[in-house]
Amino acid sequence: VRKPNMELPAGWGELGLLRQLRERAGKAGRGELRLGIGDDCALIRLRAHEELAVTTDLSIAGRHFRLDWHPPEAIGYRALARGLSDLAAMGARPVAAFLSLGLPRELTQARSRAITTSWMSLFLDGLLRLAREHHTPLAGGDLAESPLALADIVLIGAVGKNRALLRSGAAPGDVLYVTGALGGAAAGLELLEKLAAKRGFRPEKLRAARIAAGMAAHLEPQPRIAQGLWLARRGAATAAIDLSDGLSTDLNHICEESGVGAEIEEALLPIHAGASLKQALNGGEDYELLFAARPTARIPREIEGVAVTRIGRVVKRRKSEPAAVMLSERGAEPLEARGWEHFS
Ligand SMILES: [Mg+2]
């Protein structure tokens, strides 16, 4: 008996849900998939001279999102954005996404006679919108009833053999750059938290205008796929990482993996409008790229329409000193990993 590779547990009895998922995934396009949802496995045909890049990200209610704060579309969008950003950091091209959802039953059902769209349907709206933007077909998944809402995303990407951007290639003398602006996601979350504290707040009532004014960086971050591909294609970066935990934490990851130190200059940091220095350093979830390049590499001020800013340099690691320091008018201060710990 053929079982589709996106299945519902027996007895949950909502074949409509499965059909909905399958139909909507199909509409997002097949891309490089040879076979999508409907068989035991998806089939992906690789191009010659490419390696697979695979990443997985778990989003859990209360930890990575809050059902009482975040619009369902944004939760779906962000779940996929996290994975796409990891592919961007490797310089990989997205090929397929796999989604496993665990949801309380009421989130899969119409909320009332008047509101026939389910939470899950809106979640898929957000996820599939970003999937379409990045030509990433939803190629399979699983669905189960769960006391806690959670979404696990697996992303498959492809990158030219030995072209992937690693965390481990930075060398003393390299220059450090970031794409876009920093701290916007944390500032947006702060704004959302304030709104959510008001009486009568309902996440699904958040208007697009409101989101655009200050919360877009948090609710709809832009994975830097095109910029990662640009860097990998040209072999322009010696090391790269996406800023998921915050500059302070992610820069320390590069230092650790490359066995180097780093100096950043406070005055050079591209701080997002409305964000503080602290949010730019430790905020997390900006999903910009941090990368190192040889001083002789020609890095433009803009890659595929996104600003690129030099923020510091890679130095020799000295055992007795902190790996990363920040230089400012106050002198040199250690830049300890203080990345955002989600809702802990
Ligand atoms: Mg990452």
Side-chain angles (χ1 to χ4, degrees):
V1 177
R2 282 193 159 192
K3 280 200 306 176
N5 71 326
M6 177 169 275
E7 53 191 295
L8 276 174
W12 209 14
E14 302 189 30
L15 275 173
L17 267 184
L18 172 62
R19 210 174 303 122
Q20 186 191 32
L21 263 172
R22 187 174 170 178
E23 267 169 25
R24 301 193 56 190
K27 274 191 200 127
R30 288 270 289 270
E32 290 164 71
L33 275 186
R34 199 160 85 66
L35 197 61
I37 296 172
D39 214 306
D40 295 300
C41 289
L43 291 176
I44 295 165
R45 188 167 282 163
L46 292 175
R47 293 184 194 166
H49 312 296
E50 281 193 335
E51 293 176 321
L52 278 187
V54 185
T55 178
T56 170
D57 275 292
L58 185 59
S59 298
I60 303 177
R63 178 78 189 164
H64 304 94
F65 62 86
R66 285 184 57 154
L67 290 170
D68 55 342
W69 289 11
H70 291 95
E73 293 93 334
I75 297 172
Y77 181 105
R78 293 173 79 240
L80 183 65
R82 290 175 66 198
L84 284 173
S85 180
D86 280 329
L87 291 184
M90 300 297 284
R93 171 172 53 81
V95 171
F98 296 82
L99 167 70
S100 292
L101 276 175
L103 294 177
R105 179 182 286 258
E106 65 268 20
L107 296 188
T108 66
Q109 295 168 335
R111 273 163 292 169
S112 66
R113 255 189 218 151
I115 309 170
T116 54
T117 46
S118 66
W119 184 96
M120 188 184 99
S121 173
L122 297 172
F123 172 96
L124 285 175
D125 283 345
L127 186 140
L128 292 174
R129 173 159 68 86
L130 184 64
R132 270 190 303 272
E133 276 171 32
H134 290 281
H135 313 289
T136 310
L138 184 58
D142 202 0
L143 193 55
E145 193 172 352
S146 158
L148 200 65
L150 57 91
D152 189 34
I153 293 260
V154 175
L155 271 159
I156 310 287
V159 60
K161 245 178 217 164
N162 303 318
R163 287 264 163 189
L165 310 172
L166 308 183
R167 296 178 179 183
S168 54
D174 286 358
V175 181
L176 290 166
Y177 298 89
V178 291
T179 60
L182 308 178
L189 175 62
E190 201 177 83
L191 203 60
L192 178 61
E193 187 176 358
K194 273 186 201 143
L195 276 182
K198 288 190 179 149
R199 219 182 333 146
F201 173 83
R202 297 245 302 282
E204 60 274 23
K205 290 274 161 69
L206 260 185
R207 293 274 168 260
R210 202 66 217 249
I211 292 173
M215 278 183 287
H218 173 63
L219 294 177
E220 297 175 356
Q222 304 283 318
R224 299 307 187 191
I225 294 285
Q227 293 68 31
L229 287 173
W230 191 96
L231 291 169
R233 216 167 33 232
R234 283 169 176 75
T238 55
I241 190 169
D242 65 313
L243 295 175
S244 52
D245 293 332
L247 180 65
S248 64
T249 298
D250 293 319
L251 178 58
N252 274 288
H253 287 319
I254 284 198
C255 289
E256 200 59 46
E257 296 302 320
S258 295
V260 295
E263 287 174 357
I264 63 163
E265 292 179 48
E266 184 187 308
L268 297 179
L269 293 175
I271 300 179
H272 196 284
S276 66
L277 172 64
K278 221 175 173 182
Q279 287 171 329
L281 292 175
N282 307 323
E285 297 198 308
D286 284 321
Y287 300 114
E288 296 296 347
L289 296 183
L290 164 68
F291 63 94
R294 300 299 305 154
T296 49
R298 263 194 246 144
I299 304 295
R301 290 196 180 169
E302 212 176 76
I303 298 178
E304 306 285 348
V306 172
V308 174
T309 310
R310 177 177 67 87
I311 60 162
R313 61 195 190 109
V314 177
V315 298
K316 250 197 203 127
R317 176 81 196 258
R318 291 192 188 80
K319 274 271 146 58
S320 55
E321 285 167 30
V325 298
M326 184 169 72
L327 310 176
S328 70
E329 290 166 342
R330 301 181 297 278
E333 303 161 273
L335 189 67
E336 280 156 30
R338 292 241 167 84
W340 189 49
E341 289 286 317
H342 305 287
F343 296 101
S344 62

